[in-house]
Amino acid sequence: MHYLTELGKYSSLLYQALRSSTEFSTYRKNLFQELVKVGYDSVPIIMLTGIFTGSVMTLQSAYQLQSAFIPLSTIGAIVSESILIELAAVISSLVLAGKVGARVATELGTMRVSEQIDALESMGFNSVSFLVVPRVLAGILMFPVLYIVASVCGITGGIAAGFFSGQVPPADFLQGARMYFYPWNVIFGFTKMIVFGFIITSVACYKGYFAKGGAEGVGKSTTDATVLGCILVLLADFLLAALLL
């Protein structure tokens, strides 16, 4: 029964956010700020994640495919396709669940327990439109952009790791990447990031918006938002793969 109540409150918040999405003048300024926080501020950690993901994937693939009968271009194909179709989206989203999701839940949770949200509503503001809508929209819009950053950095990291380790020349890596490149994989990655961005930000907004219990409650809502966001990202990843591949 508790989980059904939580699902009902979450669905109600999303419904209010959907209805409030037409009030662009209310959240215009907040939306721009959130686009910067979600997108621009996350670029360094996403670049680092992508580079090391691609590097490790290349070294492990080269280790497992040590054979005179397997061309080196195969490593480039495996690494690039794995990054585009899975790793750039999922690993980046798990990192963003901790960075973006935790921040959103903490901000809204602090505003809730300090009665700032109640003050906004008493002044006639639509708190959902002012606080929730811009954060969810920022996630939907900026997560695909971060996917591009993660993919480019992942493939670049793979090329660099192969070159400096002496196991995969850049020309062979790129040959395999081009040979087995399918545009649908990029579209699939974009689709996943849109869904993941919505899940992470909406769950974080829900947990923060309904936080209670002072500082301890804010901490609990932040933890719940991060953990639940990661679990739902993995579940959505499986469902999207089953439906779209």
Side-chain angles (χ1 to χ4, degrees):
M1 184 63 68
H2 171 71
Y3 295 106
L4 292 178
T5 302
E6 293 287 312
L7 180 60
K9 291 169 64 177
Y10 174 69
S11 302
S12 176
L13 181 66
L14 291 182
Y15 175 69
Q16 293 179 55
L18 181 62
R19 290 186 57 186
S20 303
S21 61
T22 57
E23 303 174 12
F24 183 70
S25 59
T26 303
Y27 61 82
R28 178 178 54 195
K29 183 178 179 181
N30 277 2
L31 176 60
F32 177 76
Q33 293 175 346
E34 288 300 319
L35 289 174
V36 173
K37 291 179 180 178
V38 173
Y40 180 78
D41 292 350
S42 300
V43 168
I45 186 64
I46 292 301
M47 290 180 64
L48 194 65
T49 302
I51 289 171
F52 281 101
T53 299
S55 300
V56 172
M57 186 72 181
T58 298
L59 296 178
Q60 289 183 345
S61 298
Y63 169 75
Q64 293 175 326
L65 298 176
Q66 288 181 347
S67 173
F69 301 101
I70 300 177
L72 293 176
S73 60
T74 304
I75 297 173
I78 291 173
V79 173
S80 61
E81 291 304 292
S82 297
I83 288 173
L84 291 174
I85 201 171
E86 180 70 13
L87 298 179
V90 175
I91 294 182
S92 296
S93 295
L94 294 177
V95 172
L96 292 170
K99 184 184 184 302
V100 176
R103 177 187 62 80
V104 170
T106 301
E107 288 178 350
L108 296 187
T110 301
M111 294 183 71
R112 171 60 74 183
V113 300
S114 61
E115 299 182 351
Q116 294 180 53
I117 294 179
D118 296 332
L120 285 173
E121 293 177 344
S122 67
M123 291 187 294
F125 274 92
N126 183 342
S127 62
V128 174
S129 175
F130 190 69
L131 299 173
V132 175
V133 173
R135 287 167 169 81
V136 176
L137 281 179
I140 293 173
L141 294 174
M142 294 310 298
F143 270 51
V145 177
L146 295 174
Y147 165 77
I148 297 175
V149 175
S151 299
V152 171
C153 291
I155 294 174
T156 302
I159 294 172
F163 173 72
F164 288 113
S165 66
Q167 300 192 58
V168 188
D172 290 330
F173 189 102
L174 291 172
Q175 179 187 358
R178 292 193 190 100
M179 187 181 302
Y180 293 95
F181 173 76
Y182 300 103
W184 168 250
N185 292 343
V186 178
I187 297 173
F188 182 59
F190 267 101
T191 303
K192 290 207 293 188
M193 285 303 271
I194 292 172
V195 174
F196 296 165
F198 169 76
I199 289 173
I200 290 171
T201 52
S202 63
V203 168
C205 285
Y206 165 71
K207 288 295 183 180
Y209 192 82
F210 291 104
K212 55 184 178 180
E216 183 179 354
V218 174
K220 184 178 184 302
S221 68
T222 301
T223 303
D224 290 346
T226 304
V227 174
L228 185 58
C230 290
I231 293 173
L232 291 178
V233 161
L234 296 175
L235 178 60
D237 182 44
F238 170 76
L239 294 176
L240 288 171
L243 293 172
L244 300 179
L245 292 182

